[in-house]
Amino acid sequence: MKIRRKSRFAPEVFTHSLNDIMFFLLLFFLIISTMSNPNVIKLMLPKASATQQMYKKQITLSVDENKAYFIDKEPIPFDNLEAQLQSIFANVEERTVVLRVDKNLAVQDLVDVLEIGAKNDIKMVMATAK
């Protein structure tokens, strides 16, 4: 009598590389989702009968190496700088000044201009070169 074991064929699915594939797919979708604009939300905004405008104004204040002050390319003495800024920003809610200061000036010259802005509640932004 011949006793023979029956070897049954058991099909297997090799999933060793499945973890790597899933990791790369997850990484791909995370990168793609950050490239799209996440701030886009479609809203149906209510309608109003009257509109209100926000008053914004931005000017450029330049100071060259000779301590000459310019508001939008118009020369102005330092003594009149505060009064001129107040007259420009009259009835303006958001006041912004872009400062363009020569790199050879002392820090105190920059601080003097920043103090004028702080006193009059003017946002000062420093312009730099690349």
Side-chain angles (χ1 to χ4, degrees), residues 23-53:
F23 173 73
F24 285 121
L25 284 174
L26 178 68
L27 187 65
F28 172 75
F29 286 120
L30 283 175
I31 291 172
I32 294 301
S33 67
T34 57
M35 285 183 176
S36 67
N37 192 352
N39 296 329
V40 175
I41 299 173
K42 293 185 179 186
L43 296 175
M44 296 293 289
L45 297 175
K47 297 186 184 213
S49 59
T51 60
Q52 178 183 4
Q53 292 185 347

Side-chain angles (χ1 to χ4, degrees), residues 39-90:
N39 296 329
V40 175
I41 299 173
K42 293 185 179 186
L43 296 175
M44 296 293 289
L45 297 175
K47 297 186 184 213
S49 59
T51 60
Q52 178 183 4
Q53 292 185 347
M54 294 291 293
Y55 293 104
K56 288 182 169 182
K57 188 155 190 174
Q58 176 179 344
I59 63 167
T60 303
L61 176 63
S62 303
V63 184
D64 65 2
E65 60 186 11
N66 300 325
K67 294 185 186 179
Y69 295 87
F70 299 91
I71 294 180
D72 291 332
K73 298 182 181 180
E74 179 184 328
I76 186 163
F78 181 75
D79 300 334
N80 297 340
L81 183 63
E82 185 173 1
Q84 186 72 22
L85 287 175
Q86 287 175 347
S87 66
I88 289 173
F89 287 125

